[in-house]
Amino acid sequence: MAIVYEFVWQVLHVLLHIHRTLITWFRIRLRNWDGKLWSRALTALIVPIALSFPNQKNLVPAPGKRVGRRYRWGADGKSLEKLPYHIGLLIAEEEPRFTDIANLVVWCMAVGISYVSVYDNYGVFRRNNSRLMDEILKQQQELLDLEGSKHLSVEFLNNGTDKQDQQVLSCQSVLKVLSPDDGKLRIVQAAQQLCRAVEQREKTSKDINVTLLDSLLRESKSTPDPDLVLKFGPVESTLGFLPWHIRLTEFISLPSHVDVSYEDLFSALQRYASCEQRLGK
């Protein structure tokens, strides 16, 4: 029995030496192949793992991604047959969300729209204009990654008088924050001004016409009338949005401004670009 045990022990000892010899030989071969075998082995292990997550999103945007997105949006604007020079964002919902409105403003400017007007029937944006401006600046930096050295002219209408309040954004665009006071109330004030002029014999009743009234309503600055107004919400009404300025304006309704996407905005711009405007003919 002792002879059997000794024989088995010697066989195991020989196998151990063979094992060590093979390991040494493989190490030498791997050095001669410059590690190519290891690279192939790692690739074989990593590729299946990567392919098993096809919908994985990067938590941090790749360098230049936002810059590329900015140029793509600019190219989208140039691809349209016509682009509104002045667009209005009419919020017909009770609880406006500042982040979503800021996104819309930044997207409009990114595609090349020169004038953007924001309006709600309750005057929420007018009362909270600083908050809106901060949110627009935040979204501009996040979406477009623009430098702060260039500025957007931001204006607030105040009973027909344009007051340049502050400059916070890039892009050569003008943002107007409107409220119901800039609509019907301004027409009433213009009518009262004409009545006082007649009463004080500065004008006669024959001098009063549409052209004169129009000049009074536009005396502050030559801002163009809105070409397009996007109405967000279920209410089928303009809610007093600049009634004097929208006689030739195209209106497009969208269900809500909440969680609105760039694709929603661009789809509306495509509808506007393809529509035929007869301009009263």
Side-chain angles (χ1 to χ4, degrees):
M1 199 67 183
I3 297 175
V4 174
Y5 284 143
E6 184 178 357
F7 176 77
V8 172
W9 175 255
Q10 289 179 356
V11 170
L12 292 175
H13 191 67
V14 171
L15 291 176
L16 179 61
H17 278 286
I18 294 174
H19 181 261
R20 291 177 177 174
T21 302
L22 289 174
I23 290 177
T24 303
W25 182 80
F26 274 113
R27 287 177 178 173
I28 295 173
R29 295 291 294 176
L30 289 175
R31 291 193 190 100
N32 293 336
W33 293 347
D34 296 328
K36 292 182 180 179
L37 184 60
W38 280 112
S39 299
R40 293 174 182 175
L42 289 174
T43 302
L45 291 172
I46 294 174
V47 169
I49 295 175
L51 293 177
S52 65
F53 299 96
N55 296 323
Q56 183 176 1
K57 295 182 179 179
N58 294 327
L59 296 179
V60 180
K65 182 176 181 180
R66 286 176 289 185
V67 175
R69 188 164 50 187
R70 183 177 69 201
Y71 284 110
R72 178 175 67 85
W73 290 339
D76 285 344
K78 294 178 181 178
S79 69
L80 297 174
E81 185 177 345
K82 61 179 178 179
L83 187 68
Y85 191 59
H86 183 182
I87 188 172
L89 306 176
L90 195 167
I91 311 304
E93 297 175 272
E94 293 184 359
E95 298 182 3
R97 288 176 48 169
F98 285 79
T99 300
D100 292 311
I101 296 302
N103 286 338
L104 285 166
V105 171
V106 173
W107 291 331
C108 286
M109 296 173 178
V111 299
I113 298 175
S114 299
Y115 289 84
V116 181
S117 294
V118 178
Y119 176 91
D120 73 285
N121 191 41
Y122 302 99
V124 174
F125 295 122
R126 171 65 65 78
R127 293 194 301 271
N128 299 276
N129 56 71
S130 297
R131 177 183 173 186
L132 178 61
M133 293 302 102
D134 291 341
E135 193 63 41
I136 292 175
L137 177 60
K138 175 184 175 182
Q139 294 306 313
Q140 179 212 23
Q141 294 173 341
E142 180 176 333
L143 296 172
L144 303 179
D145 195 26
L146 293 177
E147 298 293 335
S149 58
K150 299 178 182 179
H151 298 288
L152 157 75
S153 174
V154 178
E155 300 176 352
F156 298 96
L157 293 182
N158 184 15
N159 295 333
T161 302
D162 288 356
K163 177 184 178 182
Q164 186 166 326
D165 186 77
Q166 55 181 312
Q167 294 183 331
V168 295
L169 297 180
S170 303
C171 309
Q172 300 300 318
S173 301
V174 176
L175 171 67
K176 291 183 176 292
V177 181
L178 307 174
S179 73
D181 292 344
D182 304 309
K184 295 180 180 179
L185 179 59
R186 176 54 188 156
I187 296 177
V188 171
Q189 292 174 338
Q192 292 174 341
Q193 183 178 349
L194 290 175
C195 291
R196 285 194 296 269
V198 173
E199 183 181 10
Q200 297 172 4
R201 300 182 181 277
E202 297 175 356
K203 294 184 182 296
T204 66
S205 58
K206 295 181 179 180
D207 295 328
I208 300 176
N209 52 37
V210 174
T211 303
L212 179 59
L213 179 59
D214 185 76
S215 65
L216 288 177
L217 292 173
R218 303 175 188 276
E219 64 181 357
S220 54
K221 283 189 178 180
S222 56
T223 302
D225 291 344
D227 304 296
L228 170 66
V229 170
L230 300 182
K231 183 187 70 65
F232 298 91
V235 179
E236 295 300 330
S237 171
T238 62
L239 298 176
F241 178 87
L242 297 181
W244 186 262
H245 305 76
I246 58 174
R247 58 189 182 276
L248 299 177
T249 300
E250 187 75 18
F251 277 78
I252 294 178
S253 296
L254 296 175
S256 175
H257 74 289
V258 177
D259 295 329
V260 66
S261 67
Y262 170 76
E263 287 69 24
D264 296 328
L265 171 65
F266 188 63
S267 177
L269 293 177
Q270 288 177 315
R271 288 174 56 186
Y272 168 77
S274 61
C275 73
E276 181 182 359
Q277 292 179 288
R278 299 182 180 276
L279 302 179
K281 298 179 180 179

